[in-house]
Amino acid sequence: LAGFRKLKPLVFCGSYPVNAADFSSLRDAMDKLKLSDASFVFEPETSQSFGFGFRCGFLGLLHMEIVQERLEREYNLNLILTVPNVVYRVRHSDGSLLEVDTPAKFQPQNVQESFEPYVVLLMIIPVDSIDPVCELAKSRRGIFRSNDYLGEDRVKLVFDIPLSEIIVDFYDRVKSLTKGYGSLDYEFKDYFPTRLVKLDVLLNSTPCDAFSSLIHKDKAAHKAHALVDKLKELIPRQVFEVSIQAAIGNQILASAKIRPLAKHVTSKCYGGDITRKRKLWEKQKEGKKRLKQFGRVEIPQEAFLEVLKI
């Protein structure tokens, strides 16, 4: 039809069933949901951590939350959603321009230049909360454009800001700083150059793609330490030592270790020569080394939800 414009999703995240047997039910539910929501897009994808699922595209974070709630309530599904990210553009060394909506598609060795989407952010807030809200926007790489006083107690602020900085918790922070009286809206502006890196999380030297993210280079170190500290709290102790690392390529930015569960293997040795105990300790040491090679680290579901808030 003349004048019809297809809506392009701005926020992407992975959606996986907690029970792998629900994959076909999730596919049927998404097919039915799309009949009433033309802006919702999805395509199948596979994750090393979760198995089969879908890469979903949304108009914004609110749209993502509504779709998740509808899938869980109307179709009785239990879902895990990965960290939401925006669509970046990268120019490769051969001159081709590629849209990247998932960290797996980002190949840093071939990237010559990267671009990220900016939006025009409009906020209406109480006058007495201007300073903290402006500080929040500037800490998220926002560029101040204008302000306009709407009467005695309200002001309209306009910023240019990267979309990736506001899609997770920005609205919650604004609500908190304005005691619930702040409101915001945003409109897509354009793509601008950025310094983009891929932050990977390694568990016992194995990449966990569910925690991978594309991030601005200046914020990578801070997020790496926050990720490692949070995962150290949330991952339960295993029977073998768990090493958690956050890295960009071969550069380790942060690391931590979770101590293994201890078992008193010499509890039944009463007296006798010390070599009896040493044999048992050596046997336990070999067993733990073997477990570390083949054992899988169990990650609780709440870990993925908590990581979204970082």
Side-chain angles (χ1 to χ4, degrees):
L1 297 174
F4 176 79
R5 180 170 58 90
K6 194 173 181 180
L7 290 169
K8 292 191 73 175
L10 294 173
V11 175
F12 285 82
C13 80
S15 181
Y16 300 89
V18 172
N19 183 2
D22 290 337
F23 174 74
S24 58
S25 301
L26 176 60
R27 182 175 52 207
D28 294 341
M30 286 185 171
D31 283 333
K32 291 175 184 175
L33 188 62
K34 187 164 176 60
L35 294 174
S36 60
D37 187 354
S39 59
F40 170 57
V41 298
F42 62 93
E43 61 181 21
E45 77 166 2
T46 308
S47 163
Q48 294 177 351
S49 308
F50 304 119
F52 294 103
F54 294 92
R55 190 81 190 161
C56 304
F58 309 94
L59 298 179
L61 202 67
L62 177 62
H63 186 207
M64 185 187 86
E65 291 173 358
I66 289 169
V67 169
Q68 182 190 3
E69 283 293 320
R70 287 191 64 184
L71 288 171
E72 291 185 342
R73 290 186 185 184
E74 296 175 20
Y75 301 98
N76 296 319
L77 294 169
N78 196 5
L79 303 177
I80 293 175
L81 267 66
T82 61
V83 182
N85 59 297
V86 301
V87 184
Y88 296 96
R89 288 178 180 169
V90 295
R91 179 171 282 117
H92 286 174
S93 47
D94 59 1
S96 60
L97 194 66
L98 180 71
E99 290 195 341
V100 174
D101 58 12
T102 171
K105 292 182 181 178
F106 186 76
Q107 305 296 332
Q109 63 272 16
N110 300 325
V111 174
Q112 189 176 25
E113 197 175 7
S114 53
F115 305 87
E116 69 176 330
Y118 270 69
V119 295
V120 178
L121 178 69
L122 184 149
M123 293 182 284
I124 297 176
I125 59 171
V127 172
D128 58 1
S129 58
I130 288 180
D131 288 343
V133 170
C134 284
E135 284 297 318
L136 172 65
K138 288 175 182 175
S139 72
R140 302 293 181 91
R141 298 187 285 136
I143 303 165
F144 177 76
R145 287 297 175 219
S146 65
N147 64 345
D148 186 15
Y149 285 85
L150 311 172
E152 295 180 1
D153 58 346
R154 288 190 305 160
V155 61
K156 180 174 79 172
L157 299 176
V158 180
F159 281 84
D160 287 348
I161 194 167
L163 179 61
S164 60
E165 297 284 355
I166 66 170
I167 62 170
V168 178
D169 66 337
F170 188 83
Y171 185 55
D172 293 340
R173 294 290 305 278
V174 169
K175 280 289 185 186
S176 175
L177 293 171
T178 59
K179 300 184 175 72
Y181 290 102
S183 61
L184 63 84
D185 191 16
Y186 65 86
E187 185 178 338
F188 175 71
K189 184 176 183 180
D190 203 354
Y191 278 83
F192 293 97
T194 186
R195 293 188 297 160
L196 197 64
V197 293
K198 180 183 176 184
L199 184 66
D200 286 316
V201 171
L202 312 175
L203 298 176
N204 283 348
S205 303
T206 304
C208 182
D209 55 351
F211 296 123
S212 295
S213 59
L214 297 173
I215 190 170
H216 191 270
K217 191 174 182 179
D218 293 345
K219 299 210 164 190
H222 174 74
K223 184 168 183 180
H225 284 91
L227 263 174
V228 167
D229 291 343
K230 181 61 72 175
L231 288 175
K232 187 179 179 183
E233 288 177 24
L234 295 170
I235 295 176
R237 289 172 70 183
Q238 318 281 322
V239 292
F240 52 90
E241 185 180 73
V242 178
S243 170
I244 308 169
Q245 296 172 317
I248 297 174
N250 294 324
Q251 181 187 2
I252 305 294
L253 298 182
S255 65
K257 289 185 177 179
I258 301 174
R259 290 175 57 201
L261 291 167
K263 184 181 178 184
H264 191 16
V265 292
T266 57
S267 59
K268 293 181 180 179
C269 288
Y270 302 105
D273 192 64
I274 189 66
T275 52
R276 291 178 63 206
K277 291 186 176 181
R278 283 188 185 140
K279 278 181 185 176
L280 288 170
W281 288 329
E282 286 299 320
K283 193 175 178 182
Q284 184 187 36
K285 194 174 176 182
E286 288 298 318
K288 284 190 175 181
K289 192 185 291 185
R290 195 162 56 250
L291 272 173
K292 192 173 182 180
Q293 287 176 340
F294 302 108
R296 281 190 61 184
V297 180
E298 291 183 8
I299 306 170
Q301 187 180 348
E302 54 266 23
F304 299 101
L305 303 175
E306 288 295 324
V307 165
L308 293 179
K309 301 173 185 175
I310 295 177

